Coordinates of all heavy atoms in Angstrom, one line a residue:
L158 N 4.5 2.2 8.6 CA 3.8 3.5 8.3 C 2.7 3.2 7.2 O 1.6 3.6 7.3 CB 4.7 4.5 7.8 CG 5.5 5.3 8.8 CD1 6.5 6.3 8.1 CD2 4.6 6.1 9.8
L159 N 3.2 2.5 6.2 CA 2.3 2.2 5.0 C 1.2 1.2 5.4 O 0.0 1.4 5.1 CB 3.1 1.6 3.9 CG 4.2 2.5 3.3 CD1 4.8 1.9 2.1 CD2 3.6 3.9 2.9
T162 N -1.8 2.7 7.3 CA -2.6 3.7 6.7 C -3.2 3.4 5.3 O -4.2 4.0 4.9 CB -1.8 5.0 6.6 OG1 -0.5 4.7 5.9 CG2 -1.4 5.6 7.9
Q163 N -2.5 2.5 4.5 CA -2.9 2.3 3.1 C -4.3 1.9 2.9 O -4.9 2.3 1.8 CB -1.9 1.3 2.5 CG -1.8 0.0 3.1 CD -3.0 -1.0 2.8 OE1 -3.6 -0.8 1.7 NE2 -3.2 -2.0 3.6
A165 N -7.0 3.1 3.9 CA -7.9 4.2 3.8 C -7.8 5.0 2.5 O -8.5 6.0 2.3 CB -7.7 5.2 5.0
M166 N -6.9 4.6 1.6 CA -6.8 5.3 0.3 C -8.1 5.1 -0.5 O -8.7 4.0 -0.4 CB -5.6 4.8 -0.5 CG -4.3 5.1 0.1 SD -2.9 4.5 -1.0 CE -3.1 2.7 -1.0
Y174 N -6.6 13.3 -6.0 CA -5.6 13.5 -4.9 C -5.9 12.5 -3.7 O -5.0 12.4 -2.9 CB -5.5 14.9 -4.4 CG -6.9 15.5 -4.2 CD1 -7.5 15.4 -2.9 CD2 -7.5 16.3 -5.1 CE1 -8.8 15.9 -2.7 CE2 -8.8 16.9 -4.9 CZ -9.4 16.7 -3.6 OH -10.6 17.2 -3.4
L175 N -7.1 11.9 -3.7 CA -7.4 10.9 -2.6 C -7.0 9.5 -3.0 O -6.9 8.6 -2.2 CB -8.9 11.0 -2.3 CG -9.5 12.3 -1.8 CD1 -10.9 12.1 -1.4 CD2 -8.7 12.8 -0.6
G177 N -4.3 8.0 -3.4 CA -2.9 7.8 -3.0 C -2.7 8.1 -1.6 O -3.7 8.3 -0.8
L178 N -1.5 8.1 -1.2 CA -1.1 8.3 0.2 C -0.2 9.5 0.4 O 0.8 9.6 -0.4 CB -0.5 7.0 0.7 CG 0.0 6.9 2.2 CD1 -0.4 5.5 2.7 CD2 1.4 7.2 2.4
L179 N -0.5 10.3 1.3 CA 0.4 11.5 1.6 C 1.5 11.1 2.5 O 1.4 10.5 3.5 CB -0.5 12.6 2.3 CG 0.3 13.8 2.7 CD1 0.7 14.7 1.5 CD2 -0.5 14.7 3.7
L180 N 2.7 11.5 2.0 CA 3.9 11.4 2.9 C 4.3 12.9 3.2 O 4.6 13.7 2.4 CB 5.1 10.8 2.2 CG 5.1 9.3 2.0 CD1 6.3 8.8 1.3 CD2 5.0 8.6 3.4
H181 N 4.2 13.2 4.5 CA 4.5 14.5 5.0 C 5.7 14.4 5.9 O 5.8 13.9 6.9 CB 3.3 15.0 5.9 CG 3.4 16.5 6.3 ND1 2.5 17.1 7.1 CD2 4.4 17.4 6.1 CE1 2.9 18.3 7.4 NE2 4.1 18.5 6.8
R188 N 5.2 11.4 8.4 CA 3.8 11.0 8.5 C 3.3 10.4 7.3 O 3.6 10.9 6.2 CB 3.0 12.2 8.9 CG 2.9 12.6 10.4 CD 2.0 13.8 10.6 NE 1.9 14.1 12.0 CZ 1.3 15.2 12.5 NH1 0.7 16.0 11.6 NH2 1.2 15.4 13.8
A189 N 2.5 9.4 7.4 CA 1.8 8.8 6.3 C 0.3 9.0 6.6 O -0.2 8.7 7.7 CB 2.1 7.3 6.2
V190 N -0.4 9.5 5.6 CA -1.9 9.9 5.8 C -2.6 9.4 4.6 O -2.2 9.6 3.4 CB -2.1 11.4 6.0 CG1 -3.5 11.7 6.4 CG2 -1.1 12.0 7.0
A191 N -3.8 8.8 4.8 CA -4.7 8.4 3.7 C -6.1 8.6 4.1 O -6.5 8.5 5.3 CB -4.5 6.9 3.4
T192 N -6.9 9.0 3.2 CA -8.3 9.3 3.4 C -9.1 9.1 2.1 O -8.6 9.4 1.0 CB -8.6 10.7 3.9 OG1 -10.0 10.9 4.1 CG2 -8.1 11.8 3.0
L197 N -10.2 8.4 7.8 CA -8.8 8.9 7.7 C -7.9 8.0 8.6 O -8.3 7.6 9.7 CB -8.7 10.3 8.1 CG -7.3 11.0 8.1 CD1 -7.4 12.4 7.5 CD2 -6.6 11.0 9.4
A198 N -6.7 7.7 8.0 CA -5.7 7.0 8.8 C -4.4 7.8 8.8 O -4.0 8.2 7.7 CB -5.5 5.6 8.2
L199 N -3.8 7.9 10.0 CA -2.6 8.6 10.1 C -1.6 7.9 11.0 O -2.0 7.3 12.0 CB -2.8 10.0 10.7 CG -1.6 10.9 11.0 CD1 -2.1 12.4 10.9 CD2 -1.0 10.7 12.4
S200 N -0.4 7.8 10.5 CA 0.7 7.2 11.3 C 1.9 8.0 11.2 O 2.2 8.5 10.2 CB 1.0 5.7 10.9 OG 1.7 5.0 11.8
V214 N 4.2 15.0 -0.3 CA 4.0 14.3 -1.7 C 2.9 13.3 -1.6 O 2.8 12.6 -0.5 CB 5.4 13.7 -2.1 CG1 6.4 14.7 -2.3 CG2 5.8 12.6 -1.2
I215 N 2.2 13.2 -2.7 CA 1.1 12.2 -2.7 C 1.5 11.0 -3.6 O 1.7 11.2 -4.8 CB -0.2 12.8 -3.2 CG1 -0.6 14.0 -2.4 CG2 -1.3 11.7 -3.2 CD1 -1.8 14.8 -3.0
F262 N -3.6 17.9 -1.1 CA -4.2 16.9 -0.2 C -5.0 17.7 0.9 O -4.6 18.8 1.3 CB -3.1 16.1 0.5 CG -3.6 14.8 1.1 CD1 -3.8 13.7 0.3 CD2 -3.8 14.7 2.5 CE1 -4.2 12.5 0.9 CE2 -4.3 13.5 3.0 CZ -4.5 12.4 2.2
P263 N -6.1 17.2 1.3 CA -6.9 17.9 2.4 C -6.1 18.2 3.6 O -5.1 17.5 3.9 CB -8.0 16.9 2.7 CG -8.1 16.0 1.5 CD -6.7 15.9 0.9
D264 N -6.5 19.3 4.3 CA -5.8 19.6 5.6 C -6.3 18.6 6.6 O -7.3 18.7 7.3 CB -6.3 21.0 6.0 CG -5.6 21.5 7.3 OD1 -4.8 20.7 7.8 OD2 -5.8 22.6 7.7
Y265 N -5.5 17.5 6.7 CA -5.9 16.3 7.5 C -5.9 16.6 9.0 O -6.7 16.0 9.8 CB -5.0 15.2 7.2 CG -3.5 15.4 7.6 CD1 -3.1 15.1 8.9 CD2 -2.6 15.9 6.7 CE1 -1.7 15.3 9.2 CE2 -1.3 16.1 7.0 CZ -0.8 15.8 8.3 OH 0.5 16.0 8.7
E266 N -5.1 17.6 9.5 CA -5.1 17.9 10.9 C -6.4 18.5 11.4 O -6.8 18.3 12.5 CB -3.9 18.8 11.2 CG -2.6 18.2 11.0 CD -1.4 19.1 11.4 OE1 -1.5 20.3 11.0 OE2 -0.4 18.6 11.9
I269 N -9.1 15.6 12.5 CA -8.9 14.9 13.7 C -9.6 15.5 14.9 O -9.2 16.7 15.3 CB -7.4 14.7 14.0 CG1 -6.7 14.0 12.8 CG2 -7.2 13.9 15.3 CD1 -5.2 13.9 12.9

Side-chain angles (χ1 to χ4, degrees):
L158 281 177
L159 302 182
T162 53
Q163 54 82 23
M166 293 185 293
Y174 47 85
L175 300 183
L178 182 140
L179 176 73
L180 284 180
H181 185 180
R188 276 182 178 172
V190 188
T192 179
L197 179 142
L199 177 152
S200 192
V214 297
I215 307 174
F262 201 80
D264 185 356
Y265 63 88
E266 291 182 322
I269 300 172

